[in-house]
Amino acid sequence: MRITNGIMINNNLSNINKNKVSLDKVMTQIETTKKIQRPSEDPIIAVRALRLRSTYNAIEQYKDRNVEDADSWMTTTAEALGGINDVLENIVYYCNQGVNEYQTVEEYEAIISSLKSFKEAVYEDGNADYGDRTIFTGYKTDSTLTFEQNDATVSYNITENHSFDDIDTFKRLVGVSEEDINEYETTYENSSTGLPYTGANITNEAIHVMRLGYDDIDNSAVSVVIDPKGTATTYTAEIISSAQLGEQTYANIDPDKVYLVRETGELVFGNNVYNMANSKDFTVNYTKTGFDKGELKPEHYFDCVKTEQAGTDENGTPKTKVTQYTAKDQKIEYTVSFNQTITVNVQGKDVLTHDIGRDIDEMIDRIRDMQETTSKLNKVKEKIALTTDKTELSRLNSLKVVLEVEQKYAQDNVTDVFSQGIEKFKEHQQNVTVVNSDLAARMKRLSMIQDRLEQQALTVEELKSKNEDTNLTAAAVEYKAMNNVYTASLSVSAKVIQQTLLDFL
Amino acid sequence: MPNTFFGLNIGTLGLQAANVNLNVTANNIANKYTKGYSRQVAKQQATQALRVYQKYGMIGSGVEVVSIDRIRNEYYDKKYEENQTRLGSAQTTYYYMLKIEDLFNESTVDGFTKEYDNLFNAVEELIKDSSDITTRNVFLNYSESFLEYMQEIKNDLRLEQEDLNSEVVTNVNAINSLAQEIATLNKQINVVELSGAEANELRDRRTVLLDELSSIVSISTDEVAYDNGKTEFTVRVGSNILVDNYNYFSLEAVTRESNANGNDAVGLYDIKWSYGQSFEPIKENVKGSLYSLLEVRDGNNNIETGNAYSYPIDYKGVPYYMNQIDDFLDKFTSALNEIHEKGENLYGESASGTPLYVKSPNGVYTVNEAIKQDPKLMATSYDSTDGASQSDLVYDLLYTKNAEIYKGGTASDFLQAIITEIGVDTRKANNKVESYTNMQITIENQRQSVMGVDRDEEAMNLVKFQEAYNLSSHVISIMAEMYDRLITQTGV
């Protein structure tokens, strides 16, 4: 083949250019530390890089944000649960004190005020928040667990679901009325009780009672449905006020009726109803208007319909807003890893039940009963000291005997309620412990997930680097080699194209 | 017995021939680097021998130069032109695919996969606190940023299409001016050659023009020679004649009346012959840079749009990628909207009729302005009475991230498929450019091997013809001496 200088120059240029291309590629790889600069250089590396970056991004989101947030939330919850547990512990301690019979009135007064403040404190703990979001209220993080202010207008129609076990059997004392102490009556023996008749009658009968979530229930229809999912027997509770109790007495309970004591929110089951309800579920529907500060909001616990004032319309007529709530599990779940979620919250209904407050109410009520009895007895004792009339003196003396029995009953009831209280609050504490250990287990799981995520992040980062990053050592060696080739080709070309035949003629 | 001055005459002829040869060599050297120049040689032959009626018969009478020819193998020119067509095609495709690739470039900058991931990170944050207005705003902003990013790519693609379109015109104009020059050259060549000479330089120039033309459109040439030295030169593009000896037909770029593809830039050109017939390189399979321009400009991945201006073009060009983005956004927004509209907003009202994303009449996707104004209108739960932190709806939004709703794949699959398609097509074009460039060098070298001017060869010729010249001069001076002896000194 005839080779002209032109061909040689062409080939030289083309080869030098090829060397430059290679050199440039290695240089760029070193300078950018990336194997490829654009997808077309190697579409497979490019797409794999995208995938790995997406994965890495997701891991970072889980690891640095979701897990951290879940952890903060759970830590806050654990602290709040600790607080609740402490309060319950204190209540148990006071119950133990209350069981002791030899307490003075002042001491009981102190117990009452302590119990009241514990009730407040325990519910106050339920309003704990994390970054302005309440933690025990399920999804309703913008609403506190309890009412923050007295609200006289808001009204709830509440449906409570209960099981048979929620019905307690308590002794209720119906004592001597204040009027009996003042009135004159002829005394004689009461054949049935063996006590001298004083015109007063006392009973301390066991009754079947369940406290609803709230007291001060509206005087409107209250329905009790026993076995709502089965035969569904509906009772309409007979509403009585505690003022009526003196005449009607717990002793006169119609066995086929259900009563509601409005002021205390106690549902009293007649014997027959109680037996019928045995081991069955039942629901209670009632309405309550006006709530006090510190009371639990029904929407966190029960199916309910809330009716509240919501401004006025254009005519100035107040408008009402009706909201229907359905009680359901409100687990706040965070995604903490690929296809893995973790429940971060503890729901107030699992730890801070109405029972805690109502059990305290029960104790306070029984102490109050006893205080009343004691004050009646003291009154009679005062009268005896001042009276000279013999008949009256004998009446008062026999009244004193009756009241002493009454006081004994009242004292027994107090002791009973406190010893039951120990049980109950230990149970409440147990609830908290169970929830707390569940939370601890979740936190443990979270920390394991976090470890795994750290590991995954490392692995993916390594894969990512292997896939797209330049191996600097290899690249540097290659650069050196390329550079040698390039300079060699330059020096050879320079020599070859310089010379012509003329140089030698 | 020949003329007494016969020898002197031969010397003169030799001197003249050497002179011509030296001039041809000088011309070769001068044109060593002239593009398309083919080396020339003076074709010389011995002149008619004289019958001198001697015992030895005939006697040579000297030398004459009959013609100056160019040394060229036109077979290689054809091969070169064919390769130019392929190279022109590949280079154009490569150049524009690189630009498209730059729009989608994800390997060096954060591109749409990053935007997409950011958006869903915002969804993750929203799950954790759906009641927070700030979190809602962050999500809405990332949504907007993602939609804008995708549509920015679409706009950039449209600009790309406009670039391609204006280059179509440039190409059409180049074809016209080349055709005109070729027609003019044809005439000049005939003028020269009818007088019996060879129009070497003109022919070289015509070949250069044909080389240029063939990189734009594939051509076939035909030259018919007549006895009188006249030639007729025809250039065909596909089945149509572009240059018919002294005449040429021009092409025109005509604006389309309506868009072929929904997202197309307005005012794309179709090409027509000046006599009205339309010229469609893709349908007629006339390769070259024009073909590639149209392919990238109109390539719709073989989809029948049913539009009068569009026909299936088996290439993933600008319209294809614009449609892919539209498709994606359509699926993305409708999937999220469908979930959103089932929910309830923070005011406890149903979000039905309040989509998260809206599409304007001119096809632009944005975040619903009402929601942007008041993020509380965004639904995050199916039942708002569950509470502000109920985010079951947001969970469903998150699930769309990896749901296989985009042509049977997830969004990342879909987006990655685009990257792969562009990457592979660009790489293919690059490979073609490389191999056709190599082929170009090979063919050019073969061509040069025949037609190229070689320094050493010309130096040799220079020495050779100088020597011939010197010798002829010697012949003349010796002859002169001889005459001097004979005329002035003999017998005097």
Side-chain angles (χ1 to χ4, degrees), chain A residues 5 11 38 40 69 139 141 330 333 335, chain B residues 101-102 124 128 386 389 395 445 454-455:
Chain A
N5 306 97
N11 287 343
R38 37 174 65 250
S40 55
D69 287 352
Y139 302 136
T141 52
Q330 297 202 322
E333 306 220 352
T335 42
Chain B
E101 189 184 23
D102 275 340
E124 295 258 13
K128 292 187 287 180
D386 281 353
S389 286
Y395 263 107
N445 280 347
D454 182 60
R455 277 189 315 204

mmCIF file with all atom_site columns, all heavy atoms in Angstrom, chain A residues 5 11 38 40 69 139 141 330 333 335, chain B residues 101-102 124 128 386 389 395 445 454-455:
data_model
loop_
_atom_site.group_PDB
_atom_site.id
_atom_site.type_symbol
_atom_site.label_atom_id
_atom_site.label_alt_id
_atom_site.label_comp_id
_atom_site.label_asym_id
_atom_site.label_entity_id
_atom_site.label_seq_id
_atom_site.pdbx_PDB_ins_code
_atom_site.Cartn_x
_atom_site.Cartn_y
_atom_site.Cartn_z
_atom_site.occupancy
_atom_site.B_iso_or_equiv
_atom_site.pdbx_formal_charge
_atom_site.auth_seq_id
_atom_site.auth_comp_id
_atom_site.auth_asym_id
_atom_site.auth_atom_id
_atom_site.pdbx_PDB_model_num
ATOM 1   N N   . ASN A 1 5   ? 2.553   10.867 3.505  1.00 0.00 ? 5   ASN A N   1
ATOM 2   C CA  . ASN A 1 5   ? 2.729   11.558 4.780  1.00 0.00 ? 5   ASN A CA  1
ATOM 3   C C   . ASN A 1 5   ? 1.387   11.922 5.367  1.00 0.00 ? 5   ASN A C   1
ATOM 4   O O   . ASN A 1 5   ? 1.186   11.893 6.571  1.00 0.00 ? 5   ASN A O   1
ATOM 5   C CB  . ASN A 1 5   ? 3.534   12.833 4.597  1.00 0.00 ? 5   ASN A CB  1
ATOM 6   C CG  . ASN A 1 5   ? 4.832   12.561 3.924  1.00 0.00 ? 5   ASN A CG  1
ATOM 7   O OD1 . ASN A 1 5   ? 4.947   12.736 2.713  1.00 0.00 ? 5   ASN A OD1 1
ATOM 8   N ND2 . ASN A 1 5   ? 5.790   12.077 4.694  1.00 0.00 ? 5   ASN A ND2 1
ATOM 9   N N   . ASN A 1 11  ? -3.179  9.159  10.756 1.00 0.00 ? 11  ASN A N   1
ATOM 10  C CA  . ASN A 1 11  ? -3.153  8.072  11.731 1.00 0.00 ? 11  ASN A CA  1
ATOM 11  C C   . ASN A 1 11  ? -2.589  8.542  13.059 1.00 0.00 ? 11  ASN A C   1
ATOM 12  O O   . ASN A 1 11  ? -3.114  8.205  14.116 1.00 0.00 ? 11  ASN A O   1
ATOM 13  C CB  . ASN A 1 11  ? -2.333  6.908  11.197 1.00 0.00 ? 11  ASN A CB  1
ATOM 14  C CG  . ASN A 1 11  ? -3.084  6.172  10.107 1.00 0.00 ? 11  ASN A CG  1
ATOM 15  O OD1 . ASN A 1 11  ? -4.298  6.334  9.981  1.00 0.00 ? 11  ASN A OD1 1
ATOM 16  N ND2 . ASN A 1 11  ? -2.380  5.402  9.300  1.00 0.00 ? 11  ASN A ND2 1
ATOM 17  N N   . ARG A 1 38  ? -21.947 10.164 33.000 1.00 0.00 ? 38  ARG A N   1
ATOM 18  C CA  . ARG A 1 38  ? -23.300 10.225 32.461 1.00 0.00 ? 38  ARG A CA  1
ATOM 19  C C   . ARG A 1 38  ? -23.786 8.794  32.216 1.00 0.00 ? 38  ARG A C   1
ATOM 20  O O   . ARG A 1 38  ? -22.974 7.899  32.008 1.00 0.00 ? 38  ARG A O   1
ATOM 21  C CB  . ARG A 1 38  ? -23.353 11.051 31.184 1.00 0.00 ? 38  ARG A CB  1
ATOM 22  C CG  . ARG A 1 38  ? -22.161 10.900 30.290 1.00 0.00 ? 38  ARG A CG  1
ATOM 23  C CD  . ARG A 1 38  ? -22.315 11.605 28.990 1.00 0.00 ? 38  ARG A CD  1
ATOM 24  N NE  . ARG A 1 38  ? -22.409 13.045 29.091 1.00 0.00 ? 38  ARG A NE  1
ATOM 25  C CZ  . ARG A 1 38  ? -23.509 13.737 28.851 1.00 0.00 ? 38  ARG A CZ  1
ATOM 26  N NH1 . ARG A 1 38  ? -24.612 13.100 28.513 1.00 0.00 ? 38  ARG A NH1 1
ATOM 27  N NH2 . ARG A 1 38  ? -23.515 15.033 28.910 1.00 0.00 ? 38  ARG A NH2 1
ATOM 28  N N   . SER A 1 40  ? -24.982 7.189  29.841 1.00 0.00 ? 40  SER A N   1
ATOM 29  C CA  . SER A 1 40  ? -24.657 6.450  28.629 1.00 0.00 ? 40  SER A CA  1
ATOM 30  C C   . SER A 1 40  ? -23.277 5.795  28.703 1.00 0.00 ? 40  SER A C   1
ATOM 31  O O   . SER A 1 40  ? -22.990 4.883  27.957 1.00 0.00 ? 40  SER A O   1
ATOM 32  C CB  . SER A 1 40  ? -24.740 7.366  27.408 1.00 0.00 ? 40  SER A CB  1
ATOM 33  O OG  . SER A 1 40  ? -23.915 8.476  27.592 1.00 0.00 ? 40  SER A OG  1
ATOM 34  N N   . ASP A 1 69  ? -37.431 9.900  66.068 1.00 0.00 ? 69  ASP A N   1
ATOM 35  C CA  . ASP A 1 69  ? -38.704 10.458 66.521 1.00 0.00 ? 69  ASP A CA  1
ATOM 36  C C   . ASP A 1 69  ? -39.482 9.449  67.346 1.00 0.00 ? 69  ASP A C   1
ATOM 37  O O   . ASP A 1 69  ? -40.062 9.787  68.381 1.00 0.00 ? 69  ASP A O   1
ATOM 38  C CB  . ASP A 1 69  ? -39.558 10.909 65.324 1.00 0.00 ? 69  ASP A CB  1
ATOM 39  C CG  . ASP A 1 69  ? -39.004 12.180 64.704 1.00 0.00 ? 69  ASP A CG  1
ATOM 40  O OD1 . ASP A 1 69  ? -38.071 12.753 65.295 1.00 0.00 ? 69  ASP A OD1 1
ATOM 41  O OD2 . ASP A 1 69  ? -39.495 12.593 63.638 1.00 0.00 ? 69  ASP A OD2 1
ATOM 42  N N   . TYR A 1 139 ? -54.872 9.378  68.322 1.00 0.00 ? 139 TYR A N   1
ATOM 43  C CA  . TYR A 1 139 ? -54.673 10.294 67.203 1.00 0.00 ? 139 TYR A CA  1
ATOM 44  C C   . TYR A 1 139 ? -55.050 11.725 67.562 1.00 0.00 ? 139 TYR A C   1
ATOM 45  O O   . TYR A 1 139 ? -54.723 12.643 66.846 1.00 0.00 ? 139 TYR A O   1
ATOM 46  C CB  . TYR A 1 139 ? -55.530 9.861  66.008 1.00 0.00 ? 139 TYR A CB  1
ATOM 47  C CG  . TYR A 1 139 ? -55.246 8.460  65.524 1.00 0.00 ? 139 TYR A CG  1
ATOM 48  C CD1 . TYR A 1 139 ? -56.286 7.590  65.210 1.00 0.00 ? 139 TYR A CD1 1
ATOM 49  C CD2 . TYR A 1 139 ? -53.938 8.019  65.355 1.00 0.00 ? 139 TYR A CD2 1
ATOM 50  C CE1 . TYR A 1 139 ? -56.026 6.316  64.755 1.00 0.00 ? 139 TYR A CE1 1
ATOM 51  C CE2 . TYR A 1 139 ? -53.674 6.738  64.905 1.00 0.00 ? 139 TYR A CE2 1
ATOM 52  C CZ  . TYR A 1 139 ? -54.727 5.888  64.613 1.00 0.00 ? 139 TYR A CZ  1
ATOM 53  O OH  . TYR A 1 139 ? -54.461 4.635  64.158 1.00 0.00 ? 139 TYR A OH  1
ATOM 54  N N   . THR A 1 141 ? -54.067 14.132 69.112 1.00 0.00 ? 141 THR A N   1
ATOM 55  C CA  . THR A 1 141 ? -52.929 14.731 69.795 1.00 0.00 ? 141 THR A CA  1
ATOM 56  C C   . THR A 1 141 ? -53.106 16.215 70.034 1.00 0.00 ? 141 THR A C   1
ATOM 57  O O   . THR A 1 141 ? -52.299 16.830 70.707 1.00 0.00 ? 141 THR A O   1
ATOM 58  C CB  . THR A 1 141 ? -51.656 14.524 68.971 1.00 0.00 ? 141 THR A CB  1
ATOM 59  O OG1 . THR A 1 141 ? -51.927 14.976 67.646 1.00 0.00 ? 141 THR A OG1 1
ATOM 60  C CG2 . THR A 1 141 ? -51.265 13.069 68.925 1.00 0.00 ? 141 THR A CG2 1
ATOM 61  N N   . GLN A 1 330 ? -56.363 3.435  68.728 1.00 0.00 ? 330 GLN A N   1
ATOM 62  C CA  . GLN A 1 330 ? -55.704 4.496  67.964 1.00 0.00 ? 330 GLN A CA  1
ATOM 63  C C   . GLN A 1 330 ? -54.201 4.367  68.125 1.00 0.00 ? 330 GLN A C   1
ATOM 64  O O   . GLN A 1 330 ? -53.569 5.099  68.872 1.00 0.00 ? 330 GLN A O   1
ATOM 65  C CB  . GLN A 1 330 ? -56.196 5.863  68.429 1.00 0.00 ? 330 GLN A CB  1
ATOM 66  C CG  . GLN A 1 330 ? -57.688 6.035  68.173 1.00 0.00 ? 330 GLN A CG  1
ATOM 67  C CD  . GLN A 1 330 ? -58.103 7.482  68.105 1.00 0.00 ? 330 GLN A CD  1
ATOM 68  O OE1 . GLN A 1 330 ? -57.605 8.320  68.835 1.00 0.00 ? 330 GLN A OE1 1
ATOM 69  N NE2 . GLN A 1 330 ? -59.012 7.789  67.201 1.00 0.00 ? 330 GLN A NE2 1
ATOM 70  N N   . GLU A 1 333 ? -48.541 4.629  64.402 1.00 0.00 ? 333 GLU A N   1
ATOM 71  C CA  . GLU A 1 333 ? -47.459 3.770  63.929 1.00 0.00 ? 333 GLU A CA  1
ATOM 72  C C   . GLU A 1 333 ? -46.481 4.563  63.092 1.00 0.00 ? 333 GLU A C   1
ATOM 73  O O   . GLU A 1 333 ? -46.880 5.331  62.230 1.00 0.00 ? 333 GLU A O   1
ATOM 74  C CB  . GLU A 1 333 ? -48.050 2.625  63.094 1.00 0.00 ? 333 GLU A CB  1
ATOM 75  C CG  . GLU A 1 333 ? -49.117 1.870  63.843 1.00 0.00 ? 333 GLU A CG  1
ATOM 76  C CD  . GLU A 1 333 ? -49.051 0.391  63.609 1.00 0.00 ? 333 GLU A CD  1
ATOM 77  O OE1 . GLU A 1 333 ? -48.272 -0.027 62.737 1.00 0.00 ? 333 GLU A OE1 1
ATOM 78  O OE2 . GLU A 1 333 ? -49.767 -0.344 64.307 1.00 0.00 ? 333 GLU A OE2 1
ATOM 79  N N   . THR A 1 335 ? -43.201 4.183  60.448 1.00 0.00 ? 335 THR A N   1
ATOM 80  C CA  . THR A 1 335 ? -42.420 3.204  59.685 1.00 0.00 ? 335 THR A CA  1
ATOM 81  C C   . THR A 1 335 ? -40.964 3.410  60.063 1.00 0.00 ? 335 THR A C   1
ATOM 82  O O   . THR A 1 335 ? -40.427 4.498  59.941 1.00 0.00 ? 335 THR A O   1
ATOM 83  C CB  . THR A 1 335 ? -42.560 3.412  58.169 1.00 0.00 ? 335 THR A CB  1
ATOM 84  O OG1 . THR A 1 335 ? -42.501 4.799  57.908 1.00 0.00 ? 335 THR A OG1 1
ATOM 85  C CG2 . THR A 1 335 ? -43.850 2.848  57.640 1.00 0.00 ? 335 THR A CG2 1
ATOM 86  N N   . GLU B 2 101 ? -29.923 13.445 27.443 1.00 0.00 ? 101 GLU B N   1
ATOM 87  C CA  . GLU B 2 101 ? -29.364 12.765 28.615 1.00 0.00 ? 101 GLU B CA  1
ATOM 88  C C   . GLU B 2 101 ? -29.016 13.770 29.709 1.00 0.00 ? 101 GLU B C   1
ATOM 89  O O   . GLU B 2 101 ? -29.228 13.522 30.893 1.00 0.00 ? 101 GLU B O   1
ATOM 90  C CB  . GLU B 2 101 ? -28.124 11.981 28.193 1.00 0.00 ? 101 GLU B CB  1
ATOM 91  C CG  . GLU B 2 101 ? -27.614 11.069 29.286 1.00 0.00 ? 101 GLU B CG  1
ATOM 92  C CD  . GLU B 2 101 ? -26.332 10.367 28.887 1.00 0.00 ? 101 GLU B CD  1
ATOM 93  O OE1 . GLU B 2 101 ? -25.610 10.866 28.009 1.00 0.00 ? 101 GLU B OE1 1
ATOM 94  O OE2 . GLU B 2 101 ? -26.064 9.305  29.460 1.00 0.00 ? 101 GLU B OE2 1
ATOM 95  N N   . ASP B 2 102 ? -28.488 14.916 29.271 1.00 0.00 ? 102 ASP B N   1
ATOM 96  C CA  . ASP B 2 102 ? -28.154 15.955 30.249 1.00 0.00 ? 102 ASP B CA  1
ATOM 97  C C   . ASP B 2 102 ? -29.390 16.380 31.034 1.00 0.00 ? 102 ASP B C   1
ATOM 98  O O   . ASP B 2 102 ? -29.313 16.636 32.227 1.00 0.00 ? 102 ASP B O   1
ATOM 99  C CB  . ASP B 2 102 ? -27.562 17.180 29.546 1.00 0.00 ? 102 ASP B CB  1
ATOM 100 C CG  . ASP B 2 102 ? -26.066 17.012 29.335 1.00 0.00 ? 102 ASP B CG  1
ATOM 101 O OD1 . ASP B 2 102 ? -25.479 16.180 30.050 1.00 0.00 ? 102 ASP B OD1 1
ATOM 102 O OD2 . ASP B 2 102 ? -25.506 17.696 28.461 1.00 0.00 ? 102 ASP B OD2 1
ATOM 103 N N   . GLU B 2 124 ? -43.354 10.674 54.848 1.00 0.00 ? 124 GLU B N   1
ATOM 104 C CA  . GLU B 2 124 ? -42.995 9.979  56.098 1.00 0.00 ? 124 GLU B CA  1
ATOM 105 C C   . GLU B 2 124 ? -43.126 10.926 57.292 1.00 0.00 ? 124 GLU B C   1
ATOM 106 O O   . GLU B 2 124 ? -43.624 10.553 58.352 1.00 0.00 ? 124 GLU B O   1
ATOM 107 C CB  . GLU B 2 124 ? -41.546 9.481  56.032 1.00 0.00 ? 124 GLU B CB  1
ATOM 108 C CG  . GLU B 2 124 ? -41.303 8.422  54.967 1.00 0.00 ? 124 GLU B CG  1
ATOM 109 C CD  . GLU B 2 124 ? -41.227 7.034  55.544 1.00 0.00 ? 124 GLU B CD  1
ATOM 110 O OE1 . GLU B 2 124 ? -41.605 6.874  56.720 1.00 0.00 ? 124 GLU B OE1 1
ATOM 111 O OE2 . GLU B 2 124 ? -40.791 6.120  54.818 1.00 0.00 ? 124 GLU B OE2 1
ATOM 112 N N   . LYS B 2 128 ? -45.888 11.011 60.711 1.00 0.00 ? 128 LYS B N   1
ATOM 113 C CA  . LYS B 2 128 ? -45.550 11.155 62.122 1.00 0.00 ? 128 LYS B CA  1
ATOM 114 C C   . LYS B 2 128 ? -46.299 12.313 62.765 1.00 0.00 ? 128 LYS B C   1
ATOM 115 O O   . LYS B 2 128 ? -46.563 12.291 63.951 1.00 0.00 ? 128 LYS B O   1
ATOM 116 C CB  . LYS B 2 128 ? -44.036 11.329 62.279 1.00 0.00 ? 128 LYS B CB  1
ATOM 117 C CG  . LYS B 2 128 ? -43.290 10.049 61.914 1.00 0.00 ? 128 LYS B CG  1
ATOM 118 C CD  . LYS B 2 128 ? -41.810 10.159 62.216 1.00 0.00 ? 128 LYS B CD  1
ATOM 119 C CE  . LYS B 2 128 ? -41.141 11.075 61.215 1.00 0.00 ? 128 LYS B CE  1
ATOM 120 N NZ  . LYS B 2 128 ? -39.707 11.189 61.486 1.00 0.00 ? 128 LYS B NZ  1
ATOM 121 N N   . ASP B 2 386 ? -61.311 10.749 64.364 1.00 0.00 ? 386 ASP B N   1
ATOM 122 C CA  . ASP B 2 386 ? -60.296 9.918  65.012 1.00 0.00 ? 386 ASP B CA  1
ATOM 123 C C   . ASP B 2 386 ? -59.243 10.779 65.686 1.00 0.00 ? 386 ASP B C   1
ATOM 124 O O   . ASP B 2 386 ? -58.556 10.331 66.588 1.00 0.00 ? 386 ASP B O   1
ATOM 125 C CB  . ASP B 2 386 ? -59.582 9.028  63.976 1.00 0.00 ? 386 ASP B CB  1
ATOM 126 C CG  . ASP B 2 386 ? -60.428 7.816  63.628 1.00 0.00 ? 386 ASP B CG  1
ATOM 127 O OD1 . ASP B 2 386 ? -61.461 7.642  64.283 1.00 0.00 ? 386 ASP B OD1 1
ATOM 128 O OD2 . ASP B 2 386 ? -60.045 7.069  62.727 1.00 0.00 ? 386 ASP B OD2 1
ATOM 129 N N   . SER B 2 389 ? -53.969 13.418 64.646 1.00 0.00 ? 389 SER B N   1
ATOM 130 C CA  . SER B 2 389 ? -52.778 12.658 64.290 1.00 0.00 ? 389 SER B CA  1
ATOM 131 C C   . SER B 2 389 ? -53.114 11.341 63.595 1.00 0.00 ? 389 SER B C   1
ATOM 132 O O   . SER B 2 389 ? -52.228 10.531 63.341 1.00 0.00 ? 389 SER B O   1
ATOM 133 C CB  . SER B 2 389 ? -51.934 12.378 65.523 1.00 0.00 ? 389 SER B CB  1
ATOM 134 O OG  . SER B 2 389 ? -51.287 13.553 65.924 1.00 0.00 ? 389 SER B OG  1
ATOM 135 N N   . TYR B 2 395 ? -50.646 7.052  55.155 1.00 0.00 ? 395 TYR B N   1
ATOM 136 C CA  . TYR B 2 395 ? -50.035 5.750  54.937 1.00 0.00 ? 395 TYR B CA  1
ATOM 137 C C   . TYR B 2 395 ? -50.317 5.262  53.529 1.00 0.00 ? 395 TYR B C   1
ATOM 138 O O   . TYR B 2 395 ? -49.444 4.761  52.835 1.00 0.00 ? 395 TYR B O   1
ATOM 139 C CB  . TYR B 2 395 ? -50.581 4.719  55.941 1.00 0.00 ? 395 TYR B CB  1
ATOM 140 C CG  . TYR B 2 395 ? -49.673 4.541  57.114 1.00 0.00 ? 395 TYR B CG  1
ATOM 141 C CD1 . TYR B 2 395 ? -49.995 5.050  58.349 1.00 0.00 ? 395 TYR B CD1 1
ATOM 142 C CD2 . TYR B 2 395 ? -48.453 3.869  56.969 1.00 0.00 ? 395 TYR B CD2 1
ATOM 143 C CE1 . TYR B 2 395 ? -49.147 4.908  59.425 1.00 0.00 ? 395 TYR B CE1 1
ATOM 144 C CE2 . TYR B 2 395 ? -47.599 3.716  58.034 1.00 0.00 ? 395 TYR B CE2 1
ATOM 145 C CZ  . TYR B 2 395 ? -47.948 4.238  59.261 1.00 0.00 ? 395 TYR B CZ  1
ATOM 146 O OH  . TYR B 2 395 ? -47.110 4.096  60.310 1.00 0.00 ? 395 TYR B OH  1
ATOM 147 N N   . ASN B 2 445 ? -7.956  6.903  4.439  1.00 0.00 ? 445 ASN B N   1
ATOM 148 C CA  . ASN B 2 445 ? -6.576  6.483  4.224  1.00 0.00 ? 445 ASN B CA  1
ATOM 149 C C   . ASN B 2 445 ? -6.418  5.743  2.897  1.00 0.00 ? 445 ASN B C   1
ATOM 150 O O   . ASN B 2 445 ? -5.438  5.936  2.192  1.00 0.00 ? 445 ASN B O   1
ATOM 151 C CB  . ASN B 2 445 ? -6.096  5.608  5.377  1.00 0.00 ? 445 ASN B CB  1
ATOM 152 C CG  . ASN B 2 445 ? -5.698  6.463  6.572  1.00 0.00 ? 445 ASN B CG  1
ATOM 153 O OD1 . ASN B 2 445 ? -5.565  7.681  6.446  1.00 0.00 ? 445 ASN B OD1 1
ATOM 154 N ND2 . ASN B 2 445 ? -5.534  5.825  7.718  1.00 0.00 ? 445 ASN B ND2 1
ATOM 155 N N   . ASP B 2 454 ? 2.469   12.855 -1.582 1.00 0.00 ? 454 ASP B N   1
ATOM 156 C CA  . ASP B 2 454 ? 3.458   12.425 -0.608 1.00 0.00 ? 454 ASP B CA  1
ATOM 157 C C   . ASP B 2 454 ? 4.684   13.301 -0.733 1.00 0.00 ? 454 ASP B C   1
ATOM 158 O O   . ASP B 2 454 ? 5.211   13.514 -1.828 1.00 0.00 ? 454 ASP B O   1
ATOM 159 C CB  . ASP B 2 454 ? 3.818   10.963 -0.847 1.00 0.00 ? 454 ASP B CB  1
ATOM 160 C CG  . ASP B 2 454 ? 4.815   10.467 0.166  1.00 0.00 ? 454 ASP B CG  1
ATOM 161 O OD1 . ASP B 2 454 ? 4.487   10.513 1.371  1.00 0.00 ? 454 ASP B OD1 1
ATOM 162 O OD2 . ASP B 2 454 ? 5.929   10.084 -0.246 1.00 0.00 ? 454 ASP B OD2 1
ATOM 163 N N   . ARG B 2 455 ? 5.157   13.790 0.381  1.00 0.00 ? 455 ARG B N   1
ATOM 164 C CA  . ARG B 2 455 ? 6.301   14.707 0.394  1.00 0.00 ? 455 ARG B CA  1
ATOM 165 C C   . ARG B 2 455 ? 7.524   14.080 -0.250 1.00 0.00 ? 455 ARG B C   1
ATOM 166 O O   . ARG B 2 455 ? 8.174   14.671 -1.109 1.00 0.00 ? 455 ARG B O   1
ATOM 167 C CB  . ARG B 2 455 ? 6.646   15.064 1.835  1.00 0.00 ? 455 ARG B CB  1
ATOM 168 C CG  . ARG B 2 455 ? 5.820   16.156 2.404  1.00 0.00 ? 455 ARG B CG  1
ATOM 169 C CD  . ARG B 2 455 ? 6.364   16.573 3.726  1.00 0.00 ? 455 ARG B CD  1
ATOM 170 N NE  . ARG B 2 455 ? 6.705   15.404 4.554  1.00 0.00 ? 455 ARG B NE  1
ATOM 171 C CZ  . ARG B 2 455 ? 6.765   15.443 5.883  1.00 0.00 ? 455 ARG B CZ  1
ATOM 172 N NH1 . ARG B 2 455 ? 6.494   16.557 6.510  1.00 0.00 ? 455 ARG B NH1 1
ATOM 173 N NH2 . ARG B 2 455 ? 7.088   14.371 6.565  1.00 0.00 ? 455 ARG B NH2 1
#
